[in-house]
Amino acid sequence: MSSKASVSRRVTVPAIRNSKGRRKLMALTAYSGAIAEAVDEWVDIVLIDDAVPMEGDAQPGAQSFALERMVRHTGAVARATERACVVADLPMPCCGASSEQALRSAARLLEAGAAAVRLAGGPETADTMAFLVSCGVPVMGHIRRESARAGMAPHEAAAREMERAGAFGLLLDGVDEPAARRIADEVSIPVISGPACDGQMLETEDILGLGGDFVQRYAEQYADVRAVAEQVARDHAGAQAYAAASGTRGFGAARSPAAI
């Protein structure tokens, strides 16, 4: 049974917006209810980002597929949280060719339980962001490291554009620390990037040891859940092999409800 007695009321978008210069924000990712419930009490933001596998994105109907998948994950996370502000990515395939399509997609995520959506880009998506905000959709801006390599506006210019468009906060992904600090100093909204900014966002998989070969620069691994899972699987497989050879009951053998 989860202990939620000490959980305070839900962290709101205005509370995050007003945290600038007052306190540091903490954000973690979650894609399942179990992880979301585990981190809920200790973070300000739980993010469902578009790193969720989108196996069908290259196929016809990818826009609908991506959106439905994000809606499912958002619903699971929202139902499992009581405190953290739930922010769901609005992947570009879900935005379609118009601001109106982006609004319809954002509405689906809000209906699933998100308090806000995160939209990547800069000047190229500023009009869409401003439209969403004007329609009452809280939007967090997202600036990726790849944007500079793709010939888009410099990170600082993109941040100012998103602030003007009405973003309540910015999340920087892979932007170097000096640039992130400059952005945090220049805009009036919270900038979540690393220790030098207004808050930090980490991939939960990284800090649990499930991130694979790539781990974020600021991510400290606090546990090795992958090693634990591997050991349990190895022990289970060994016990089952022994049971098959000896005719005895193996570790983890299935039991019928009547036998429990």
Side-chain angles (χ1 to χ4, degrees):
M1 180 179 296
S2 173
S3 174
K4 292 284 186 176
S6 63
V7 176
S8 61
R9 62 189 178 89
R10 178 79 71 173
V11 177
T12 64
V13 167
I16 292 171
R17 173 66 178 82
N18 295 330
S19 69
K20 181 84 172 184
R22 298 181 180 180
R23 66 182 183 89
K24 296 286 188 178
L25 297 169
M26 184 63 204
L28 288 174
T29 57
Y31 310 109
S32 69
I35 293 296
E37 184 177 16
V39 305
D40 178 39
E41 187 173 353
W42 313 106
V43 300
D44 300 291
I45 299 169
V46 171
L47 172 70
I48 309 101
D49 75 18
D50 58 6
V52 174
M54 299 284 185
E55 296 91 344
D57 280 358
Q59 305 300 320
Q63 175 183 311
S64 175
F65 178 90
L67 179 59
E68 292 305 319
R69 195 172 182 88
M70 287 299 297
V71 166
R72 288 198 301 275
H73 284 280
T74 299
V77 168
R79 288 189 296 271
T81 56
E82 296 180 7
R83 179 184 181 276
C85 182
V86 177
V87 179
D89 247 342
L90 183 61
M92 293 310 295
C94 298
C95 291
S98 68
S99 295
E100 289 75 14
Q101 178 58 53
L103 177 60
R104 288 191 290 271
S105 297
R108 292 288 311 282
L109 295 172
L110 297 184
E111 290 168 359
V117 299
R118 185 180 72 164
L119 183 62
E124 68 279 2
T125 57
D127 288 345
T128 297
M129 181 176 292
F131 178 74
L132 292 176
V133 172
S134 71
C135 293
V137 177
V139 181
M140 172 175 281
H142 182 200
I143 299 175
R144 293 189 174 101
R145 172 180 51 195
E146 291 80 4
S147 61
R149 292 203 296 265
M152 300 179 186
H155 298 136
E156 291 87 343
R160 289 191 293 270
E161 194 72 31
M162 289 185 171
E163 181 184 23
R164 284 192 291 268
F168 69 88
L170 293 174
L171 197 150
L172 310 185
D173 185 1
V175 177
D176 63 78
E177 186 172 342
R181 187 183 294 111
R182 287 196 302 271
I183 292 171
D185 290 341
E186 289 180 9
V187 299
S188 64
I189 55 179
V191 174
I192 301 173
S193 178
C197 295
D198 303 303
Q200 185 170 11
M201 198 285 287
L202 295 174
E203 291 282 346
T204 303
E205 285 78 3
D206 288 348
I207 64 175
L208 293 180
L210 294 169
D213 294 331
F214 174 78
V215 177
Q216 294 183 77
R217 184 185 312 166
Y218 298 119
E220 181 175 350
Q221 184 175 321
Y222 294 93
D224 194 347
V225 175
R226 178 172 181 170
V228 173
E230 290 175 349
Q231 184 63 53
V232 170
R234 185 161 49 246
D235 291 346
H236 177 74
Q240 293 290 18
Y242 173 79
S246 63
T248 61
R249 185 183 181 85
F251 166 74
R255 292 183 289 173
S256 68
I260 297 175

